[in-house]
């Protein structure tokens, strides 16, 4: 990655992962490749702390996970509840509607989360097929409380499924899929999982697979259909090849390299999450010292893998971002439609956090101090 | 690729393409990456000899191109005609039905093509929204006559669109999209285009885009929706970033490297196709000498980028494939449901054909001679 690229994905990936992405072409049905995909399926389970979840690894991006949920777990006309904490909630709802779901949304105020009380009362009004939420909304840095959401759903409407959009949280935030009873975790390769973009990664619980198997009509997508993919994933896991559509062979090698680091390397997965928490605290404390306000309204609902800060009064993106760029620190502009111009986003996931010797976090903090200071100074003149 | 891998895709890719696939991570909205994707859009047009076609480059595989056709160009209940020359025709039809098309099929006999007369009379019975055909069906090696099909459609039913599945033909068979009046060419990265798998590549004619824009209902897929992707492709081509779903950044660098070879390198695109024709002739002549029968019934309807041969009487795959494997020549087993066990397939696309100094084609021929000879011999004992 360009030195110091600190956007919330695609993130910088380790050299051995890049190297694996340049693996000489291999047949997707070769004896060498089959166990590599099989291992990726198994290690994906480890990352999400599930023993019974069914992973789907498909060429695509995070977005394709929404299509999978919408076309395999919901039938046209069924009710779905979307807990909306920003840009990605809007899009998930749009996708669900495309496949015929009747979508109700509870939209949190900007920077806030949806309260358990609101979820509870919504669940009492209607029988929802599924409740979806964005674990970390990348547009706001808001972290939803996955465990409590799943608890509330189980308590009030035990048949309802829960789907967690973990594109910006898998491998940077704690997710205990089995313990918490989450039915779907969907994500992508290019953020906490430290792999180049191009892979849609989804894990479905046994309950979700049962709901899928009991559909009245077949899935209403073809490329995202679990009817097509489930036998393929099962075959590769058992060690034999099967074909529906060609897997992204090189990227699977790259994902394998990154998963091996995450599940078998040092730091352990638990330590990795802890390092994300610490880096996040450091960056948020530094921003507070600079007088920057966080977009998340409550510290307890702020992501550990990214941060979103409002610019100081009178300062805008063109005052800050180019100054950071000159210091080789690339951050992302705002994305939430309500206040795009008023804030910026910093990613701190994966290698820049885990490999502390690189000093990336300190560099980002120092550069942010300078750039914000200069921006404020320039406005005084 | 494993030395001598001669399957009809994924094919071996050039070293500079692999190297590009290991490009350090870049933001998909960075000033460095935007023109790379823009160039890929432009060079994709060059490969298909179109000046006005609209390319779509999306993380996925060839299969996703079918979803794009089915969900953007056909509305539920509309009639579609599928010209079926093998396995991939069955699947394309399945995909179209998934999104609500009413599919009629004309299924050629095994190894044959659909006659122009049959197409003509089908087109006279009903108003079809689109006629689809597999340019090279990878299960049989049958090459359909794209130019004549398009002519027939234009003559009999000028409003009907034509869609060419070029997953196994783009950059190995002649395709003159504008001259012939083909409305959709869909393909994937991993065959003639010489790039690792993971990219769905589709080009739509101006007429197809108009049909899309005049839809009565919105596209019934989300991830494959041109409503989402068209503005993104247009923005990148103009040099500014836009976001719907994260593009497979590294693979776009790899595709760029391969497209640069194909469109700007030596041999020229025309010479490249000629080299495929010559290699194909050589392999097919050698097989004829060995007494092997081709799956395609007519020499004029046989692919130039792959071959499919029946085993000699009494000989089966386990007699031949392991013998080839020992000589480091990996071919593919049969795929057509009618006679899976009776034939094998050899890919001869891309680098193994274009870089003649490698001597790949001679090696394949020599190994095939030995292996088939030994297999026949072993049966005599
Ligand atoms: C929370 C969240 N969900 C979904 C997506 C969509 O993923 P992709 O861009 O890989 O399609 C993103 C992308 O950044 C995201 O941050
Ligand atoms: C003619 C044809 N069409 C479609 C496909 C599907 O492409 P993919 O496997 O990349 O999804 C293939 C795959 O080999 C093919 O050969």
């Amino acid at each position: 990655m360009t030195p110091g690229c600190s956007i919330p994905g695609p993130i910088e990936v380790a050299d051995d992962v890049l190297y694996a992405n340049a693996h000489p072409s291999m047949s997707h049905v070769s004896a060498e490749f089959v166990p590599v995909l099989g291992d990726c399926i198994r290690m994906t389970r480890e990352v999400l702390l599930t023993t019974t979840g069914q992973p789907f690894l498909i060429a695509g991006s995070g977005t394709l996970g929404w299509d999978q949920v919408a076309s395999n777990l919901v039938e046209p006309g069924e009710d779905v509840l979307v807990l909306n904490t920003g840009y990605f909630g809007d899009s998930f709802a749009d996708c669900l509607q495309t496949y015929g779901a009747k979508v109700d949304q509870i939209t949190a105020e900007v920077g806030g989360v949806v309260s358990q009380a609101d979820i509870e009362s919504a669940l009492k009004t209607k029988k929802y097929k599924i409740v979806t939420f964005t674990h970390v909304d990348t547009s706001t840095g808001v972290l939803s409380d996955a465990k409590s959401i799943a608890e509330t759903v189980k308590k009030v409407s035990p048949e309802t499924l829960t789907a967690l959009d973990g594109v910006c949280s898998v491998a940077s935030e704690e997710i205990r899929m089995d313990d918490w009873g989450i039915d779907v975790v969907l994500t992508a390769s290019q953020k906490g999982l430290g792999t180049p973009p191009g892979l849609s990664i989804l894990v479905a619980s046994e309950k979700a697979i049962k709901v899928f198997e009991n559909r009245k009509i077949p899935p209403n997508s073809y490329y995202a259909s679990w009817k097509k993919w489930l036998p393929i994933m099962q075959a590769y896991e058992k060690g034999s090849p099967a074909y529906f559509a060609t897997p992204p062979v090189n990227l699977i090698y790259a994902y394998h390299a990154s998963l091996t680091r995450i599940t078998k390397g040092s730091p352990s997965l638990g330590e990795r999450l802890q390092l994300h928490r610490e880096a996040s605290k450091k960056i948020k404390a530094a921003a507070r010292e600079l007088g920057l306000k966080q977009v998340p309204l409550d510290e307890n609902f702020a992501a550990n893998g990214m941060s979103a800060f409002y610019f100081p009064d009178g300062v805008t993106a063109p005052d800050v971002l180019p100054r950071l760029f000159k210091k080789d620190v690339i951050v992302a502009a705002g994305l939430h439609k309500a206040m795009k111009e008023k804030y910026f986003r910093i990613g701190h996931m994966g290698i820049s956090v885990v490999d502390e010797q690189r000093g990336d976090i300190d560099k980002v903090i120092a550069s942010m101090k300078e750039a914000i200071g200069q921006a404020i100074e320039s406005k005084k003149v």
Side-chain angles (χ1 to χ4, degrees), chain A:
Chain A
M1 164 108 7
T2 322
C5 187
S6 302
I7 59 165
I11 70 161
E12 183 173 348
V13 313
D15 288 346
D16 61 321
V17 176
L18 281 186
Y19 187 72
N21 209 37
H23 193 288
S25 302
M26 293 295 294
S27 161
H28 52 301
V29 296
S30 64
E32 294 90 339
F33 176 67
V34 171
V36 177
L37 182 44
D39 283 349
C40 286
I41 292 171
R42 285 179 282 271
M43 289 191 282
T44 298
R45 270 197 206 97
E46 287 180 48
V47 174
L48 294 172
L49 300 176
T50 175
T51 54
T52 53
Q54 174 60 55
F56 293 89
L57 308 178
I58 308 177
S61 75
T63 299
L64 186 67
W66 297 336
D67 288 67
Q68 290 185 59
V69 169
S71 64
N72 291 294
L73 292 178
V74 187
E75 307 201 38
E78 287 181 339
D79 290 299
V80 168
L81 182 64
V82 172
L83 311 182
N84 188 326
T85 49
Y87 179 94
F88 293 98
D90 294 347
S91 312
F92 200 164
D94 185 6
C95 177
L96 287 157
Q97 276 158 346
T98 300
Y99 289 96
K102 280 164 60 190
V103 175
D104 289 334
Q105 295 194 48
I106 313 181
T107 301
E109 65 182 316
V110 174
V113 292
V114 177
S115 75
Q116 301 302 320
D118 285 352
I119 301 171
E120 194 161 335
S121 54
L123 287 171
K124 282 177 177 159
T125 62
K126 261 186 214 172
K127 177 109 184 189
Y128 289 104
K129 185 71 174 284
I130 189 161
V131 173
T132 76
F133 65 100
T134 316
H135 196 196
V136 169
D137 198 295
T138 321
S139 74
T140 56
V142 165
L143 171 71
S144 289
D145 180 352
K147 184 171 180 241
S148 299
I149 292 170
E151 266 170 20
T152 301
V153 174
K154 260 167 215 20
K155 188 182 68 179
V156 186
S157 179
E159 278 181 37
T160 301
L161 299 169
T162 50
L164 178 159
D165 174 346
V167 175
C168 196
S169 71
V170 170
S172 61
E173 310 288 345
E174 185 177 33
I175 304 177
R176 312 189 76 87
M177 201 175 162
D178 282 359
D179 284 358
W180 298 350
I182 308 278
D183 292 302
V184 174
V185 174
L186 65 94
T187 188
S189 46
Q190 76 269 16
K191 302 201 189 198
L193 290 168
T195 307
L199 193 62
S200 163
I201 298 157
L202 183 148
V203 184
S205 71
E206 281 188 311
K207 180 176 159 193
I209 294 292
K210 272 205 198 96
V211 167
F212 160 70
E213 284 169 346
N214 291 329
R215 282 179 72 88
K216 288 182 286 296
I217 64 157
N220 50 354
S221 158
Y222 186 77
Y223 186 67
S225 167
W226 291 353
K227 219 174 130 196
K228 306 293 183 188
W229 284 113
L230 185 56
I232 308 300
M233 293 298 136
Q234 289 170 336
Y236 273 91
E237 186 165 7
K238 283 195 196 116
S240 49
Y243 175 70
F244 166 58
T246 307
V249 175
N250 288 54
L251 197 56
I252 294 289
Y253 276 103
Y255 184 45
H256 191 277
S258 192
L259 281 172
T260 303
R261 279 176 170 259
I262 293 172
T263 63
K264 319 261 181 279
S266 165
S268 68
L269 177 59
E271 287 160 354
R272 174 176 289 262
L273 299 180
Q274 186 54 29
L275 288 170
H276 281 81
R277 277 183 216 110
E278 285 163 14
S280 177
K281 267 201 197 125
K282 236 170 145 175
I283 287 183
K284 287 170 172 91
R288 201 163 35 233
E289 265 178 45
L290 284 169
L292 301 185
K293 205 181 126 211
Q294 265 201 72
V295 174
L297 299 170
D298 183 331
E299 284 278 320
N300 297 315
F301 298 115
N304 294 296
M306 65 167 290
S307 300
F309 301 115
Y310 289 105
F311 295 116
D313 279 345
V315 168
T316 61
D319 303 322
V320 177
L321 270 47
R323 286 197 163 90
L324 284 170
F325 189 79
K326 267 197 213 139
K327 297 179 208 303
D328 268 346
V329 171
I330 303 169
V331 301
L335 182 62
H336 194 292
K337 59 179 187 253
M339 35 108 187
K340 250 182 198 241
E341 281 74 35
K342 297 197 178 144
Y343 74 111
F344 66 106
R345 299 173 297 143
I346 305 178
H348 32 88
M349 284 175 266
I351 193 170
S352 68
V353 168
V354 172
D355 185 349
E356 291 177 289
Q357 297 200 331
R358 295 164 49 112
D360 288 351
I361 300 303
D362 291 335
K363 182 176 176 194
V364 166
I365 290 175
S367 308
M368 189 170 70
K369 276 187 187 160
E370 274 191 65
I372 296 280
Q374 288 167 0
I376 294 176
E377 210 46 49
S378 76
K379 291 288 153 173
K380 287 191 185 151
V381 185

